[in-house]
Amino acid sequence: MPKKTKGGGSKTANAEDGEMTNLHLDTRPLEPLVLENDVAKMTQKLDTQVGKCKAGVAWINILALSKRLKFGTYNDRAENESETNKLVASFRDGIMSMKDQTAILIIIDIARINNATSLPKDFLDPGDVPELELLDTDPIVVASGQHRLAALVKYKQQLDDEYNVLKKKRDKFRAMDKISPDQMETYNKVQFDMRVIMGITENIGKWGVIVYNERKLLAKGNDDLATHLSRNNALPEYGETDEEVLITVFKRMLVAYDAAPEESKRDAAATTLVEARTTGKKNARLVKVLHHELLCVVLATQLLKLGPHFRRRREFTVTWLFTSIGICMGVSRTIRNAKSTLTLTKLYIMLIKIRCGLLQLLSSRKEFPSHGVIVRLLRDSEKGNEEAKKQLTMLRESMRTCEEHEKGDLSGWMEVIGNLNQHAEGVFTGYEDIIQEMTPAYVTALSIYRGSVIRTLRDTWSLSKKSEDEIQSNEILKSLDRTVARVTLHLTG
């Protein structure tokens, strides 16, 4: 009689007893199996596609253009100080800036380059490599090279400091009435060292660039090639960090979110997240973070818009996010008195929503008086004007809510949020225990902070040097001025 299997079926014999079974081996000839996710072949394919977008090579003065070089567009890996210091040390043995391995990669519209058609294809003859002739003063997107620039700036500063020390020594010798033979020898050595430094610094900013055609690189409607180019380097394997993988997923989620209709934005972001979980190799920590849908959607659609300032804080690291998911901060009760575990992640999400919601209200598209009007109302209120106090009360109330379509764009805060954080740290450090308590010390600190914030907003948004008429006649400036007005009122007790 056949023996029962665990699942309720039966088998004709027991293999362990040496009896025959009904299983048959596949003895057909083996055929090669090509894996769909062969990383090496995918990388080689991307390398080939990126190579077709190369326009040529040239050189630029990266020190003179440093403020126009825009890093982090497709890969915002934070600067590693130890790597920068290693480069500085290597510069002491000489700088090789005209090689494919050391050149800076830039992504630019070829129409912005005057000599685009005559650029050489490589650095085989560095003497024939021309300067890149730019037709504008707009930012230049850089795919890689932030450590080289940081190291060069640091090295140049070290050389300047050394030169100034030598110059002071030389000037002391020149002020002497009589010079001994030993002093003369030292003087000549100082002069020689100064000349050496002058020789190094004469063309220190001249650096090779490999120019990539922006239109070709982004022709497919996505930034896959640009992202790959930004992650490429001379090493056999690019050590992509968990944070870079996470940011790439979040950027794709944000694109899907922005492109979807209002009623399905969240679903579009969530769908993109699900797709991202199943592609590429990811460690257990990253997988756990990507499976926390609410956390990922909030980070991708809200905090990501505020730019590198937040992306480079610990709260955007995979390790911190992974750990916080399991940290219990307490137990809360719902309306129906049911218990709900309060994790650090839930608190973090709540904080993001509150803070981002406030920024959206402050930059709302609703009508609001200008900054100048608010300043006058505040001044009149301080003098006891009851009508001004009444108007300010109504305006504060109007700032509390707005319709969904009236909410401001969080990305508008990207260029100022870092400076605002610095102001807060500089002013409120040491006052953490009395924040929002209207003590004289807090009121004074708040007044200093308010002045710094308003000045930063007006300077960064080009409002400081504009007249009231110029601001009101330009819709963009008018909207920014309304934001400054709301911030002024919000930060006034």
Side-chain angles (χ1 to χ4, degrees):
M1 181 176 178
K3 296 181 180 180
K4 292 290 183 180
T5 64
K6 207 169 189 178
S10 65
K11 58 182 181 179
T12 57
N14 190 337
E16 293 182 358
D17 295 335
E19 300 176 13
M20 298 298 293
T21 70
N22 60 351
L23 301 176
H24 298 280
L25 296 175
D26 185 352
T27 59
R28 291 174 296 178
L30 295 178
E31 295 183 359
L33 174 63
V34 179
L35 297 176
E36 294 182 2
N37 61 343
D38 189 320
V39 177
K41 289 188 176 181
M42 289 171 61
T43 300
Q44 191 173 28
K45 181 179 178 182
L46 288 171
D47 284 343
T48 302
Q49 293 174 333
V50 166
K52 294 178 181 178
C53 303
K54 181 179 175 181
V57 301
W59 66 266
I60 61 173
N61 189 327
I62 61 172
L63 293 179
L65 297 177
S66 61
K67 292 187 178 179
R68 290 175 58 189
L69 300 180
K70 185 180 179 183
F71 297 96
T73 301
Y74 301 107
N75 177 15
D76 56 359
R77 172 179 281 194
E79 181 189 336
N80 186 322
E81 190 173 356
S82 65
E83 292 298 321
T84 300
N85 291 334
K86 288 178 185 177
L87 282 173
V88 173
S90 72
F91 289 165
R92 293 283 175 181
D93 298 323
I95 299 175
M96 293 185 291
S97 60
M98 293 290 186
K99 293 181 65 177
D100 285 343
Q101 292 87 345
T102 59
I104 287 177
L105 316 180
I106 65 172
I107 302 172
I108 190 170
D109 187 340
I110 298 302
R112 296 174 56 192
I113 304 174
N114 186 45
N115 57 341
T117 57
S118 60
L119 295 179
K121 293 300 180 183
D122 51 51
F123 293 105
L124 291 179
D125 193 346
D128 290 339
V129 175
E131 182 177 7
L132 194 67
E133 299 175 11
L134 296 168
L135 297 171
D136 57 43
T137 57
D138 294 339
I140 304 167
V141 174
V142 183
S144 70
Q146 67 168 330
H147 286 90
R148 274 156 277 180
L149 176 58
L152 197 65
V153 170
K154 194 170 185 177
Y155 181 47
K156 175 66 164 55
Q157 185 60 55
Q158 289 179 1
L159 292 173
D160 289 343
D161 293 341
E162 291 173 18
Y163 184 86
N164 290 331
V165 170
L166 292 169
K167 185 174 180 296
K168 288 179 180 180
K169 281 186 178 182
R170 184 196 65 179
D171 292 344
K172 285 183 179 180
F173 283 122
R174 289 183 175 182
M176 292 179 180
D177 293 332
K178 293 182 180 181
I179 300 292
S180 69
D182 288 344
Q183 289 172 333
M184 179 60 75
E185 185 179 347
T186 304
Y187 173 78
N188 290 335
K189 177 66 167 60
V190 168
Q191 288 267 90
F192 176 81
D193 290 342
M194 289 176 68
R195 290 174 58 205
V196 170
I197 293 176
M198 290 172 66
I200 296 173
T201 58
E202 186 176 16
N203 292 309
I204 195 171
K206 183 178 178 179
W207 205 281
V209 293
I210 301 178
V211 181
Y212 286 88
N213 189 324
E214 181 183 51
R215 294 184 182 182
K216 287 185 178 180
L217 210 59
L218 304 177
K220 292 185 177 181
N222 59 51
D223 58 7
D224 289 350
L225 293 183
T227 300
H228 177 68
L229 177 64
S230 300
R231 293 174 178 175
N232 220 352
N233 62 13
L235 298 177
E237 181 180 347
Y238 180 88
E240 187 177 30
T241 65
D242 290 345
E243 285 69 33
E244 287 170 340
V245 176
L246 191 66
I247 294 299
T248 300
V249 172
F250 287 169
K251 284 181 177 179
R252 290 174 178 169
M253 290 173 65
L254 182 58
V255 170
Y257 179 87
D258 289 339
E262 192 65 41
E263 65 277 5
S264 59
K265 283 184 176 295
R266 193 188 186 288
D267 290 341
T271 300
T272 305
L273 174 62
V274 172
E275 293 171 356
R277 290 174 188 157
T278 58
T279 57
K281 294 182 179 179
K282 302 176 181 67
N283 61 36
R285 291 178 302 178
L286 186 56
V287 169
K288 184 173 181 179
V289 171
L290 292 176
H291 272 79
H292 199 302
E293 183 176 301
L294 178 58
L295 173 65
C296 290
V297 170
V298 170
L299 289 175
T301 62
Q302 296 191 43
L303 208 57
L304 187 71
K305 291 185 176 183
L306 294 175
H309 170 73
F310 281 102
R311 294 204 292 271
R312 292 174 181 174
R313 292 173 66 92
R314 66 167 188 163
E315 293 87 349
F316 236 118
T317 61
V318 171
T319 299
W320 190 91
L321 293 171
F322 168 78
T323 304
S324 68
I325 290 174
I327 295 179
C328 178
M329 303 297 288
V331 177
S332 61
R333 291 188 177 274
T334 63
I335 296 175
R336 296 182 180 180
N337 208 34
K339 290 184 179 180
S340 174
T341 303
L342 194 61
T343 64
L344 182 56
T345 301
K346 287 182 180 180
L347 288 174
Y348 183 40
I349 293 171
M350 289 166 56
L351 179 63
I352 294 173
K353 287 184 174 181
I354 291 171
R355 295 308 183 197
C356 288
L358 174 60
L359 293 178
Q360 289 176 317
L361 288 173
L362 291 174
S363 56
S364 166
R365 298 181 179 88
K366 285 172 62 175
E367 283 298 323
F368 201 80
S370 68
H371 174 247
V373 170
I374 294 298
V375 170
R376 288 192 288 273
L377 286 173
L378 288 170
R379 191 183 301 126
D380 291 343
S381 175
E382 289 177 357
K383 294 178 180 178
N385 187 308
E386 293 300 325
E387 181 59 29
K389 291 181 180 179
K390 182 179 178 181
Q391 288 187 46
L392 290 173
T393 300
M394 293 173 61
L395 290 171
R396 284 194 178 95
E397 189 61 33
S398 72
M399 287 167 51
R400 294 180 181 276
T401 59
C402 69
E403 298 295 329
E404 189 65 33
H405 68 277
E406 295 175 327
K407 290 182 178 179
D409 185 359
L410 287 171
S411 61
W413 295 92
M414 184 187 301
E415 59 182 337
V416 297
I417 199 72
N419 288 330
L420 302 190
N421 182 68
Q422 288 179 359
H423 295 324
E425 288 182 344
V427 172
F428 294 115
T429 299
Y431 293 98
E432 292 86 355
D433 294 336
I434 62 169
I435 286 181
Q436 292 190 335
E437 294 180 12
M438 301 309 288
T439 61
Y442 174 71
V443 171
T444 301
L446 180 61
S447 178
I448 296 172
Y449 174 67
R450 180 173 61 247
S452 299
V453 167
I454 293 169
R455 186 161 52 252
T456 294
L457 295 180
R458 287 178 59 79
D459 289 346
T460 305
W461 291 340
S462 303
L463 298 171
S464 300
K465 298 180 180 179
K466 301 290 184 182
S467 67
E468 186 73 17
D469 290 340
E470 288 176 315
I471 292 173
Q472 296 306 315
S473 62
N474 183 301
E475 284 302 317
I476 295 176
L477 295 180
K478 184 179 178 181
S479 175
L480 294 172
D481 183 68
R482 285 201 300 256
T483 299
V484 177
R486 290 192 186 92
V487 171
T488 303
L489 190 55
H490 177 71
L491 294 176
T492 305

